[in-house]
Amino acid sequence: MCRHLAYIGTPITLQSLLIDPAHSLVEQSWAPRLQISGIMNVDGFGVGWYERESSGQTPVRYRRDRPIWTDAGFSDVARVASSPAILAAVRSASPGMPFGEAACAPLAHERWLFSLNGALEGYPDKAKPLLDHLDPTRLLDMEAATDSALLWLLVQARLDGDASLGDALASVARVTSQHCDGRFNFLLTDGVEIAATAIGNSLFWRGADDSIVVASEPHDDEEGWTRVPDQSLLTASLADGVMVMSL
């Protein structure tokens, strides 16, 4: 399992979002409060962010194959890097999955960033039916031999076909759930919008006039967090607010 979050809004530093809160993503790497599988997230981490408030950008990524609290370089970057859109995750590798930076979220393609909080049970053998829904040439672009990377290829194909973020995630969630067992909490952003699914793992959101956060679990004890029901799709933007619908 993993813990992940996405933010859109007024530019903030990575430190203020990921390190400073009372139950920050850094704390969740060693003491998550709502994680149902695994007890720590020490198999790597990653952060992706956008330089400005506009669509069509290629995001910056910082990924490492070590616990987030051990990376002094990230603390320095987080103190000065500021962004209006951020996606970050800390990783607990599922049994049998490879290690390394390439296996750490966020995964990327053009302007999009993606993370999976969950696991496709029986991967890779049980994932074979999903290959019928994928152009095999896309496997050449697979970042790592992980379930999340395969699911990301399925999402990419729909995004490249001009599906919206929400439609792309909903389509892959339905296809995957038809063929495979597991927990499929997806998180996706293009720097302007956020889309996420809640399938088997916790998901929360909190909004204000100038920002929206979507996260596996609240990173503080302040009011305003709303839990997303299981088997739901969330879409969010500053223009349209937050919408939650059943899958």
Side-chain angles (χ1 to χ4, degrees):
M1 291 305 100
C2 305
R3 301 282 86 180
H4 61 201
L5 66 79
Y7 169 92
I8 51 175
T10 301
I12 58 172
T13 63
L14 303 186
Q15 176 175 311
S16 66
L17 179 68
L18 306 177
I19 298 174
D20 290 345
H23 303 292
S24 68
L25 199 66
V26 172
E27 181 182 285
Q28 290 171 36
S29 66
W30 56 268
R33 296 188 291 174
L34 298 178
Q35 192 159 317
I36 61 173
S37 179
I39 58 174
M40 300 180 77
N41 298 285
V42 298
D43 298 319
F45 72 96
V47 185
W49 67 95
Y50 298 79
E51 294 183 358
R52 58 190 182 278
E53 298 178 66
S54 64
S55 60
Q57 301 175 64
T58 300
V60 179
R61 280 192 298 172
Y62 186 106
R63 297 187 294 171
R64 293 292 183 268
D65 59 356
R66 66 191 70 177
I68 190 171
W69 73 80
T70 68
D71 191 327
F74 174 67
S75 297
D76 286 340
V77 170
R79 179 170 47 84
V80 297
S82 179
S83 175
I86 301 164
L87 192 153
V90 290
R91 183 178 188 229
S92 174
S94 299
M97 291 295 170
F99 293 90
E101 290 179 10
C104 296
L107 305 181
H109 172 63
E110 296 180 353
R111 66 182 184 276
W112 298 291
L113 294 170
F114 173 84
S115 176
L116 168 68
N117 170 27
L120 195 161
E121 295 180 7
Y123 179 86
D125 291 341
K126 295 294 179 69
K128 289 179 180 178
L130 298 179
L131 298 179
D132 294 334
H133 300 270
L134 186 66
D135 181 342
T137 62
R138 285 189 176 270
L139 294 172
L140 298 173
D141 298 322
M142 195 165 169
E143 285 196 61
T146 61
D147 51 356
S148 58
L150 176 61
L151 294 168
W152 177 218
L153 291 182
L154 292 164
V155 174
Q156 283 181 39
R158 286 151 177 80
L159 293 171
D160 287 340
D162 292 329
S164 68
L165 274 66
D167 287 345
L169 290 194
S171 173
V172 173
R174 293 181 184 118
V175 166
T176 305
S177 297
Q178 287 171 4
H179 295 293
C180 308
D181 294 325
R183 295 173 294 278
F184 308 117
N185 277 40
F186 303 147
L187 186 61
L188 175 66
T189 187
D190 62 357
V192 175
E193 300 178 51
I194 297 170
T197 55
I199 304 176
N201 278 317
S202 60
L203 186 69
F204 292 79
W205 69 271
R206 183 170 68 190
D209 291 340
D210 61 351
S211 65
I212 299 169
V213 180
V214 180
S216 297
E217 59 183 70
H219 59 225
D220 58 37
D221 295 319
E222 297 177 11
E223 296 182 353
W225 290 101
T226 299
R227 186 164 191 153
V228 178
D230 195 42
Q231 300 295 322
S232 294
L233 169 72
L234 176 148
T235 58
S237 69
L238 294 179
D240 299 322
V242 177
M243 293 180 285
V244 177
M245 60 205 77
S246 297
L247 283 166

